Amino acid sequence: HKTAELELLKALTEIGLVQPDGDGITDKKSLHELMEMRLGAVFMPHGLGHFIGIDTHDVGGYLAAHSARIMEPGLKSLRTARILQEGMTITVEPGCYFIDHLLNEALSDKSPLRPYLNVSQVEKYRGFGGVRLEDVVAVTSSGCINFTLCPRTIAEVEHVMRGGNWPPTTDEAPELRR
């Protein structure tokens, strides 16, 4: 989850929405420090995924012998703290949302996050909604198998939007393990 938040903060920095250098008054922060301040949770308030089981959205839960739920923004939405084991099937659902009440809280004068947000850039995305990608993966002894077969690269999406056939005969993104 935290790795996904770091990647999200990196992308939001690249488009000028997040400003790790602060507002000129506050101290500069690394992306890791901003993630620990829970800035990523403003844009990814949901947990990264959930178990897949007989009841599709198998919540998994927090078992007594495992880590307790972390009650911080974003992290409190995680469905489990279990260590993944071979044979488990889970979703991986990173996303980026622009939710008014979360943006308002982060941009409030009392928020420690405000200096690290470019207000004019945030306002450009307000009302956009958001996007989330969902993969269903099975944990294997050597990594995972991705059961989700949908267009993900720019070329794949453009191909399908032009009416091209799906799935392709060759996989241009083998790193997705699909």
Side-chain angles (χ1 to χ4, degrees):
H1 182 94
K2 287 184 173 183
T3 300
E5 281 188 10
L6 281 171
E7 289 300 314
L8 176 60
L9 290 173
K10 186 186 311 177
L12 293 174
T13 299
E14 289 172 4
I15 64 169
L17 202 144
V18 169
Q19 48 191 23
D21 290 341
D23 58 5
I25 299 169
T26 55
D27 292 335
K28 180 179 180 174
K29 301 280 187 193
S30 69
L31 291 180
H32 185 79
E33 289 171 313
L34 292 174
M35 184 266 304
E36 290 297 336
M37 291 172 63
R38 306 309 308 133
L39 180 58
V42 172
F43 302 98
M44 193 174 105
H46 61 285
L48 185 59
H50 55 81
F51 285 104
I52 295 289
I54 294 172
D55 187 21
T56 305
H57 284 83
D58 182 355
V59 296
Y62 286 80
L63 303 177
H66 297 274
S67 300
R69 184 182 296 267
I70 300 169
M71 296 308 295
E72 294 179 24
L75 299 175
K76 66 184 176 186
S77 298
L78 290 171
R79 304 283 182 99
T80 189
R82 286 190 258 174
I83 295 173
L84 298 178
Q85 299 174 9
E86 184 176 356
M88 290 180 169
T89 304
I90 59 166
T91 65
V92 180
E93 305 180 38
C96 182
Y97 291 90
F98 297 89
I99 301 169
D100 282 336
H101 80 274
L102 297 176
L103 295 173
N104 293 342
E105 287 175 22
L107 293 172
S108 73
D109 290 335
K110 63 183 177 183
S111 172
L113 303 176
R114 182 183 174 92
Y116 303 100
L117 292 168
N118 180 332
V119 177
S120 64
Q121 284 295 98
V122 170
E123 294 304 325
K124 287 180 185 178
Y125 289 90
R126 195 182 283 272
F128 167 75
V131 63
R132 185 186 314 199
L133 301 174
E134 180 171 341
D135 285 322
V136 175
V137 300
V139 179
T140 67
S141 62
S142 61
C144 68
I145 299 170
N146 188 342
F147 291 116
T148 305
L149 184 60
C150 66
R152 288 295 167 89
T153 68
I154 293 170
E156 289 173 346
V157 171
E158 289 176 346
H159 171 77
V160 171
M161 290 180 70
R162 286 191 305 269
N165 290 331
W166 190 262
T169 54
T170 58
D171 189 353
E172 77 168 51
E175 67 277 8
L176 296 178
R177 298 178 180 248
R178 52 188 179 167

